[in-house]
Amino acid sequence: MIKKIEGIVVGEISYKETSKIIKIFTCDGIINVLAKGSKKITNKNFTATTYLTYGSFLIYEHDLSILKSASKKKNYKNILKDIVKLSASSYIVSLITQVFKQNKSKELYSFLLSSLNKINDNINPLAIVNIIEVKLLPYLGLKLNLESCALCNNSNITCLSLDYSGFLCSNCSNIKMDKKILKLIKNNS
């Protein structure tokens, strides 16, 4: 059966001399697809099957699906040319795919797309990593208190403490985080 899917290429494994098996993260899960001949630069599917490419894929569904055609919707050029952005993005891809193995939530796909788009748009990749780590905690069974101080319920928060599972105020901690980072964490969780 032929099926059209949209997703992000999150991995690839060489298969024979000119082909590869690509892992596509979709809203329905992670699919392994054999992309015949796609290691050749002259192949029509070459650019659409590279790492961190968001695209549309026409596949023959089988035990190992086979790629019929692919079209690139977006590749993350800013990420691919900056080692810090690429490292942060690769970490996020790895983290989200591991969490997906435990919790098959469709929101994880949205988290991945959103984080890659933000990093590609030059938002601080390390801040995005921290936000994603916090957002993934409930999927692993840990819920943070992000409304007020975890110790005294004061609303004047100054830092995030994983030891106390939430924000802390100036009375409970001497550590001060940048207010922009605190706002990003609170608004994106």
Side-chain angles (χ1 to χ4, degrees), residues 11-152:
E12 59 182 58
I13 301 166
S14 288
Y15 182 79
K16 298 193 178 177
E17 200 169 303
T18 60
S19 302
K20 60 186 173 181
I21 298 171
I22 57 173
K23 283 185 174 200
I24 304 170
F25 199 123
T26 71
C27 63
D28 296 320
I30 299 170
I31 301 170
N32 291 321
V33 177
L34 175 60
K36 292 182 179 179
S38 64
K39 283 172 52 176
K40 292 181 183 177
I41 294 175
T42 56
N43 186 283
K44 65 181 180 177
N45 296 323
F46 177 78
T47 57
T49 60
T50 58
Y51 182 65
L52 290 185
T53 299
Y54 175 66
S56 180
F57 305 89
L58 194 60
I59 61 171
Y60 290 113
E61 278 191 310
H62 207 279
D63 293 335
L64 176 60
S65 297
I66 299 171
L67 183 67
K68 181 174 166 62
S69 66
S71 62
K72 175 178 65 172
K73 290 191 170 196
K74 181 175 188 170
N75 74 346
Y76 297 94
K77 290 179 185 174
N78 289 336
I79 292 174
L80 296 173
K81 64 183 180 182
D82 183 317
I83 190 69
V84 174
K85 291 177 184 176
L86 182 59
S87 297
S89 298
S90 294
Y91 172 71
I92 289 169
V93 165
S94 176
L95 190 61
I96 289 176
T97 54
Q98 290 302 314
V99 171
F100 188 81
K101 290 177 183 177
Q102 304 298 318
N103 186 324
K104 307 269 190 242
S105 173
K106 291 184 180 205
E107 284 183 318
L108 296 173
Y109 176 69
S110 297
F111 291 167
L112 180 59
L113 268 179
S114 174
S115 62
L116 292 176
N117 286 330
K118 288 176 181 176
I119 291 171
N120 196 59
D121 292 340
N122 295 317
I123 295 177
N124 183 340
L126 300 178
I128 302 300
V129 164
N130 290 335
I131 290 166
I132 289 296
E133 288 172 335
V134 170
K135 286 178 102 168
L136 292 178
L137 290 175
Y139 295 93
L140 298 171
L142 178 63
K143 180 95 170 109
L144 295 178
N145 174 7
L146 300 177
E147 301 303 317
S148 60
C149 177
L151 298 176
C152 70

